[in-house]
Every structure is written in structure tokens, then in C-alpha cells.
Amino acid sequence: MNNDQIEGKWKQIKGQFKQKYGKLTDDDLTYSEGQFDEMVGKLQEKTGKTKEELQEEINNW
């Protein structure tokens, strides 16, 4: 899965959450996205792997 596919999937998920939970805002979802980015950054720092390597590992779970 490349970055465009991941971004597209994230947009779909955000839309589904907004439909299901009408009170969610873009800010709520952007905050969650930021937390995920922070987690990936920490994993990169601790493992020495690239973002792409970590994405591949996550995708294969």
C-alpha cells in the first residue's frame, strides 16, 4: 500500500466515522491522525526503520 492509498483509506474511514458518530469533527479526527503520526515517528526512532518499512509491517499484520 503506498501513501496515496493509505491517505485515501484514511479519508474513507473519517467519512464513515462522521456518518456513524455525527458529533465527531475534523479536529477530532485530525488529532487522532496526529497521534498515529507521532507513534510512527517514535517507532522509527526506536527501531531505525523507515516509515515505509513500518507501514509495510503494519499492513502485513
Side-chain angles (χ1 to χ4, degrees):
M1 207 180 269
N2 65 33
N3 285 340
D4 291 335
Q5 290 171 313
I6 292 171
E7 185 176 336
K9 193 168 197 168
W10 174 245
K11 287 180 182 180
Q12 289 176 0
I13 291 168
K14 283 197 315 188
Q16 290 170 355
F17 270 95
K18 283 183 187 180
Q19 288 174 20
K20 187 170 183 177
Y21 306 104
K23 293 182 180 181
L24 283 177
T25 66
D26 281 333
D27 288 342
D28 295 327
L29 296 169
T30 300
Y31 177 76
S32 296
E33 185 177 357
Q35 286 182 315
F36 179 77
D37 289 342
E38 182 180 358
M39 179 193 69
V40 170
K42 286 182 181 185
L43 286 170
Q44 283 180 278
E45 183 180 345
K46 300 228 180 226
T47 65
K49 293 184 178 184
T50 66
K51 186 174 183 177
E52 291 76 19
E53 289 172 322
L54 291 169
Q55 287 175 340
E56 181 70 27
E57 195 169 328
I58 290 167
N59 290 337
N60 288 330
W61 277 7

